[in-house]
């Protein structure tokens, strides 16, 4: 019996020693890989990546979180041309450490309108900037989901570091009566961006989108008039009503000063995207990182696209729903609309402090 007890104790001691050796082995292997990783990060830090470290993490982080193409922009503080270089690099331990400090915040800027004005293009162009963290989808919080509360809204936002601007775009905000007060209640200092376009062209573009989904609706000419014989315009028809920019802007100006509202010229966003993006970056207090080097004009679509990233065979253009061919509208109807919008445009120019030159 004593011999059996002695053997049992020896077996327990042996098992304990084996377990200790096993765990020590795991610790040694982990320590080895950790030291190798540190060496690798030192090599990275002493390479060209260190030269552009200011923007490397921000671009990689955006790519990782789905708000940016899988190519990121790096920029040197000493050379402007480096801002347009797009490269793919693995994150360093320092980058990963910074990622852990990123949090979800309420937006500091909103693209509030207008529908079919160029809001999607503007958002995609701004997302090139490493200091912009933008939600890709339209949350419609202030017009449709306000009852869900600000915590829900915050949870929808992408994570951001200190110094990065969080933003989203929902074009319906500009025309929804309740949104200015709701946004003001969230933030009195928020920056608002409105992309405006010739209201006649915008209305036709809006109708083009509608018929792509419901092709059997009446013609544009039929819906434009309350009475075709008298020529009375149906100002309550959504494609025409949205273009009454002065009417909508007055509501916003009762809550926000003009200094917090920036207007993007929709036509110039097509003809001079870099110029319009430069002014938007200034308005947001950002360094002008997105420049003309990022764009080329796509003749087929009729609007600018982003130059293809390094290593990619295709440029980045907006989807098939953008750049649709408009139906032919009778010249008489177009002229009636121009006459209708003319006094509204003049009032809008006065309120905005800017002449957009629409005929």
């Amino acid at each position: 019996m004593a011999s059996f007890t002695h053997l049992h104790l020896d077996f327990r001691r042996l098992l304990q020693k084996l377990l200790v050796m096993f765990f020590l082995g795991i610790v040694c292997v982990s320590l080895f890989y950790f030291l190798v990783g540190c060496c690798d990060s030192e090599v990275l830090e002493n390479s060209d990546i260190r030269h552009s470290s200011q923007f490397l993490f921000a671009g990689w982080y955006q790519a990782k979180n789905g708000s940016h193409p899988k190519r990121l922009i790096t920029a040197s503080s000493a050379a402007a041309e480096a801002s347009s270089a797009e490269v793919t690099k693995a994150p360093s331990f320092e980058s990963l450490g910074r990622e852990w400090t990123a949090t979800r915040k309420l937006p500091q800027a909103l693209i509030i309108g207008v529908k079919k004005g160029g809001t999607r293009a503007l958002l995609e162009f701004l997302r090139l900037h490493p200091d912009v963290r933008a939600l890709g989808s339209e949350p419609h919080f202030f017009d449709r989901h306000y009852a869900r509360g600000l915590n829900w809204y915050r949870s929808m936002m992408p994570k951001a570091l200190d110094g990065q601007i969080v933003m989203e775009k929902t074009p319906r905000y500009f025309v929804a009566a309740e949104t200015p007060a709701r946004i003001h209640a969230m933030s009195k200092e928020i920056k608002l961006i409105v992309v405006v376009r010739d209201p006649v062209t915008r209305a036709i573009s809006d109708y083009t989108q509608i018929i792509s989904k419901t092709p059997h609706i009446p013609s544009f000419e039929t819906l434009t008039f309350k009475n075709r014989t008298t020529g009375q315009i149906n100002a309550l028809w959504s494609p025409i009503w949205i273009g009454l920019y002065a009417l909508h802007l007055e509501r916003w100006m009762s809550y926000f000063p003009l200094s917090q509202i920036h207007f993007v010229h929709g036509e110039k966003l097509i003809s001079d995207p870099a110029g319009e993006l430069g002014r938007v970056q200034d308005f947001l207090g950002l360094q002008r990182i997105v420049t003309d080097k990022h764009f080329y004009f796509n003749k087929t679509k009729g609007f600018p696209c982003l130059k293809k990233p390094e290593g990619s065979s295709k440029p980045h253009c907006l989807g098939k729903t953008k750049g649709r061919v408009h139906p032919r509208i009778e010249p008489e109807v177009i002229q009636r609309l121009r006459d209708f919008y003319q006094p509204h445009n003049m009032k809008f120019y006065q309120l905005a402090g800017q002449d957009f030159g629409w005929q």
Side-chain angles (χ1 to χ4, degrees), residues 19-60:
L19 288 172
V20 170
M21 291 175 66
F22 176 74
F23 285 114
L24 283 174
I26 292 176
V27 171
C28 290
V29 171
S30 300
L31 183 60
F32 172 78
Y33 280 107
F34 176 77
L35 292 173
V36 170
C38 288
C39 292
D40 288 344
S41 69
E42 272 190 309
V43 173
L44 288 173
E45 287 176 359
N46 290 324
S47 68
D48 291 339
I49 296 176
R50 189 172 186 175
H51 184 61
S52 58
S53 62
Q54 180 180 2
F55 298 109
L56 175 59
F57 169 73
W60 171 81

Side-chain angles (χ1 to χ4, degrees), residues 12-25:
R12 288 183 61 184
R13 292 192 186 99
L14 178 61
L15 184 60
Q16 289 174 347
K17 288 179 180 180
L18 288 173
L19 288 172
V20 170
M21 291 175 66
F22 176 74
F23 285 114
L24 283 174

Side-chain angles (χ1 to χ4, degrees), residues 108 154 175 206 269:
Q108 299 107 306
R154 184 187 290 108
V175 299
D206 199 346
L269 187 61

Side-chain angles (χ1 to χ4, degrees), residues 76-126:
S76 165
S77 59
E81 64 269 19
S83 66
S84 64
E86 295 185 333
V87 296
T88 302
K89 299 291 183 181
S92 66
F93 281 103
E94 181 182 1
S95 303
L96 291 170
R98 293 182 65 194
E99 179 191 352
W100 294 334
T101 68
T103 58
R104 299 190 192 278
K105 306 173 184 177
L106 292 171
Q108 299 107 306
L110 296 173
I111 300 175
I112 59 174
V114 298
K115 180 184 179 185
K116 305 309 295 180
T119 58
R120 171 56 60 181
L122 177 64
L123 184 75
E124 292 301 319
F125 296 162
L126 280 174

Side-chain angles (χ1 to χ4, degrees), residues 272 277 299:
D272 181 23
L277 263 290
K299 294 181 179 179

